[in-house]
Structure formats: structure tokens, C-alpha cells
Amino acid sequence: MTIGKVNGKGFAFVDPEDVKEKDPNVSKRIPAIIKEIEDNFPDNTILDGEFLAIHPNGKEMLHRTVANSLLNSKASGEELERYAIIVVFDIIYFEGEDLRNLPLHERLEYLSRLKPTEHIWIERIATTFEKKADGYICDGSNIDCILKAAEIIRDAKNGRPKFCAEGVMLKRLDGPYESPQNHYWMKVKFYHELDLRVLDKKLVKGTKDVYNYYLGYDTPRDYAEAYLNMTTKDWYGKVHCYKNGKIVAVGKDCKKYLNDNSVIFVTLMGKSDNHKERTQIKIGDIIRIAAEEVLKFDNEKFPEYPRYSFYIGRVLEPIPEKDVTDSLETIDKLSSFEPQRIPIEELQHIQQDIAKIGDTYVRIIKIGDARLS
């Protein structure tokens, strides 16, 4: 997101790809934030940042898809702004001066002159880990320093809400500002390792040894039965029955194996990225992947039986010494490291519930004060 003030007028633009066919100029939809820009930032100043959605509790950021949904919704004004945070990480113009050719360390000095507002956070940079910051300056050859900085940011030990970052951005301090892609920056995402069972494999067209693998987690019988009793294929269609080295049934056909103790039920999680096969991988093998996200899907009919999937799975290696996948407990734990995907309607209900609790709290305080007096 690009925000700024020119000739006293504030503005905010998002990437056109983020709003599909809608107007990328969202200034009219966030009047309170535009006023913050006009009241707090120097004239003829343009900033580069990211639009994030924050949970009504203020303690965690929501999934990036929620931010995109908000921008693509009809919400505007307070309805949109109560969930909106803009994190500013670079400065393009300052009081009319073009800063794009300056090295990053000089642009950061200009950026440090700005003060954050309620909805606009200015990225904080530090040279020591004792200070809470959004970024830390490390020697590029000091891997320990980089890993320490990544840990602080990932685990929200820097005073920010949880899930402010889905990874870390490595930036050279001598690099100029470049757009749309900065060749002096490199994004490093956090990945989760998963051991999963191969349900199928497909040769990538035009190759001889590059495959995609369809992977799943071993599923307890009661989970499999709950999935199979769902009415949508997104649930029952992902159940596979593995027996004697092959898949013997998929979906509703697995019901006839519920009393067969020799069958392993496996629920499809997703398809791996392309993988060049150096060691043969067979149906039923356990392989380890690095997944960008582990997602949890709530089960409205049977709440105690959620389902899981992964997003972007890079194959690391076969695990021939294992004959079982990671447990549901492990997968569920990994899913808890992801920001929530909450529909806008549900966000509004949560906001209303919090507001009611707040009103009750205020009334109790007032009653208490009256009694004390």
C-alpha cells in the first residue's frame, strides 16, 4: 500500500491486483486514516507500506486473505478502519525530496522522523536485541544474528501483536528503492515440517523424473467416520483407505472398511510442489515436506473432528524409517501457528461481543465509584 500527503491532501492506494476490478484508490473508504495522514505527516511525503487486518481483540493479526477480503468488500469508514493497520516500512518522498536513489540506511533515517498513529505503524529498526523493534541490523555474514532476529519477529517478542510477519525480509542497507520488485531485498518465509503419507503421484508433463505427490495424514477411525458422514465432498472425498501397499477405496467407498482393522485411513492434505525424484517414492511411503502454512478447517457438524490441509509443500526427503505420519496432535499444533481466517461477518459479531463486554465493564466501574463515594 502506498500512502502519503501531497499539497495537504492525504491519499492511500493499494496494488490493483489486490482489489481485482475495484478502484485501487481507497482514500474515500478510510477517512479517519486519511485524516491521521493529513494531521501527522509532513506535506509532499509518500510512504510504502502494507495493509494488514487486526483481530478485534488487538492481540493478533489476521490472515492476509482477510485483509484482501476487507479491501474487496463494500465496507468503508469505521466498519473497515476498526480492523485496518498500515505498517510503513519505506519512504519514497520526504517533503518533496525524491529519496528513491538513496541507500536504505539513509531512507530509514528519514523514516525515523515520523511518529506512528493509531492505524499507521512506522517500522522500528534497532542495532541491538535489547530494544523492541520490527527489524534488526545484522552483519550479512552473521547467520546467528539473522536467525535471532527472525526468531524475535516470528514469536512476536518485539512487542507487536502475533502474526505481524509471515516471514522475514532481508534487505541490503546500501540498496536504493526499487518497484515493483526490489533486487536488494529477499523474502524468507517460515515453514513447518510435516511427515505425510503418499496417496498418489503424478509425473509433471514434459519431464521424466519430476513428480507431484498427493499427501495425507493417518486418520484415527473415529475421525474417518466423522468425515465420511459429512455431506460435502470437501470432507468425505478426502478420505482414502490404504491396505497392503495400495489405495483400495476413496471417499464414501471407505465406509465399508470402517470395521477392517488392517486398513489405514488417510485424509488428503494437499499436493506437493514439483520434486525431482532421485530415490523412488512409492504409494504409501512417508515423506517429509516443508509447508508454508498448515490450515485447520472447523467441522460445524462434528466440532471435535476438524480437518487439516497445507499450503505450498516442498518435498525435503523420503523417511523410510517411519511407517506412520505425524500425529493429529502435531498437525493441530502446527496449525495454531497460523493467523486466523475469519469471515467479515464473523469479525463484526466478535467486535459487537467485545463492545458489549466493554460497556458492561464501564458500567461496573461507574457503579463501583458511586458506592465508594
Side-chain angles (χ1 to χ4, degrees):
M1 173 176 271
T2 303
I3 65 172
K5 182 169 73 170
V6 174
N7 296 328
K9 186 74 173 176
F11 63 85
F13 283 82
V14 296
D15 188 331
E17 293 185 3
D18 290 339
V19 288
K20 300 176 183 177
E21 297 179 359
K22 294 184 181 294
D23 188 351
N25 184 351
V26 296
S27 305
K28 292 182 179 179
R29 297 177 60 194
I30 49 174
I33 297 177
I34 295 301
K35 191 172 189 311
E36 289 178 23
I37 294 171
E38 293 173 347
D39 290 348
N40 294 279
F41 296 148
D43 202 8
N44 300 316
T45 294
I46 301 177
L47 308 169
D48 194 1
E50 184 173 9
F51 178 88
L52 301 177
I54 192 167
H55 194 285
N57 64 20
K59 297 179 180 179
E60 60 183 283
M61 292 301 183
L62 299 171
H63 196 271
R64 62 180 178 275
T65 55
V66 180
N68 288 339
S69 295
L70 283 168
L71 290 173
N72 283 289
S73 72
K74 295 180 180 179
S76 62
E78 185 182 354
E79 186 182 10
L80 171 59
E81 291 165 331
R82 64 165 59 106
Y83 311 114
I85 294 293
I86 301 170
V87 179
V88 173
F89 52 77
D90 211 332
I91 184 166
I92 306 170
Y93 284 83
F94 182 78
E95 295 183 342
E97 181 182 354
D98 187 348
L99 308 181
R100 288 175 293 180
N101 290 324
L102 293 183
L104 175 60
H105 68 87
E106 291 189 31
R107 300 200 308 277
L108 290 175
E109 290 178 7
Y110 279 94
L111 193 62
S112 68
R113 302 180 192 181
L114 306 181
K115 302 298 182 184
T117 67
E118 180 182 356
H119 294 93
I120 303 170
W121 297 351
I122 307 298
E123 194 172 76
R124 306 165 302 181
I125 306 299
T127 55
T128 66
F129 294 125
E130 285 70 31
K131 292 184 178 180
K132 292 182 177 181
D134 303 298
Y136 296 90
I137 295 177
C138 293
D139 185 317
S141 62
N142 189 339
I143 300 300
D144 290 339
C145 178
I146 294 172
L147 292 176
K148 178 68 173 178
E151 177 191 345
I152 291 172
I153 295 168
R154 180 195 64 200
D155 297 341
K157 296 178 181 178
N158 57 354
R160 292 298 195 196
K162 289 170 58 179
F163 310 126
C164 263
E166 61 182 17
V168 293
M169 187 73 78
L170 304 180
K171 302 179 181 181
R172 282 179 48 173
L173 288 172
D174 60 347
Y177 180 87
E178 294 182 345
S179 181
Q181 182 178 2
N182 195 315
H183 297 87
Y184 293 85
W185 298 3
M186 180 175 68
K187 191 168 190 176
V188 181
K189 293 194 173 183
F190 303 127
Y191 283 86
H192 309 297
E193 290 190 1
L194 283 168
D195 292 349
L196 301 173
R197 191 178 299 277
V198 178
L199 297 172
D200 198 2
K201 57 188 287 189
K202 300 291 184 183
L203 185 66
V204 175
K205 187 176 181 180
T207 71
K208 296 181 179 180
D209 55 1
V210 178
Y211 291 88
N212 298 128
Y213 304 95
Y214 292 80
L215 306 170
Y217 55 90
D218 291 353
T219 308
R221 206 161 296 267
D222 57 333
Y223 271 77
E225 186 172 6
Y227 295 169
L228 292 170
N229 283 324
M230 296 291 286
T231 57
T232 57
K233 196 171 182 180
D234 277 350
W235 288 82
Y236 69 75
K238 296 190 183 297
V239 179
H240 292 60
C241 293
Y242 176 71
K243 182 177 180 178
N244 298 328
K246 61 182 180 180
I247 303 298
V248 295
V250 178
K252 293 287 189 182
D253 291 340
C254 285
K255 280 192 170 184
K256 60 187 176 184
Y257 291 96
L258 285 171
N259 295 320
D260 187 341
N261 292 328
S262 65
V263 164
I264 298 174
F265 292 95
V266 189
T267 301
L268 176 67
M269 281 192 81
K271 182 178 75 171
S272 76
D273 287 357
N274 294 354
H275 174 69
K276 185 178 179 64
E277 195 172 272
R278 294 177 174 82
T279 303
Q280 185 183 17
I281 296 175
K282 305 185 298 297
I283 305 301
D285 285 354
I286 305 296
I287 65 175
R288 181 165 295 161
I289 67 167
E292 187 174 311
E293 295 182 21
V294 179
L295 308 173
K296 180 178 182 177
F297 297 89
D298 292 329
N299 189 331
E300 293 183 4
K301 186 175 182 181
F302 305 108
E304 64 272 35
Y305 298 110
R307 180 172 60 80
Y308 304 88
S309 72
F310 64 78
Y311 174 70
I312 301 183
R314 181 167 60 90
V315 176
L316 299 179
E317 59 182 337
I319 310 295
E321 64 272 20
K322 287 188 69 173
D323 60 2
V324 295
T325 68
D326 281 337
S327 67
L328 277 176
E329 290 77 10
T330 297
I331 295 172
D332 186 73
K333 180 66 175 177
L334 292 175
S335 73
S336 70
F337 298 145
E338 303 297 339
Q340 297 185 63
R341 299 172 181 237
I342 302 179
I344 296 174
E345 297 77 12
E346 187 176 337
L347 270 181
Q348 293 168 340
H349 291 314
I350 294 172
Q351 179 68 38
Q352 291 167 2
D353 290 342
I354 290 175
K356 288 177 182 177
I357 294 171
D359 289 344
T360 302
Y361 177 75
V362 170
R363 284 197 294 272
I364 291 171
I365 293 297
K366 287 181 177 177
I367 292 171
D369 289 345
R371 287 175 179 172
L372 288 172
S373 62

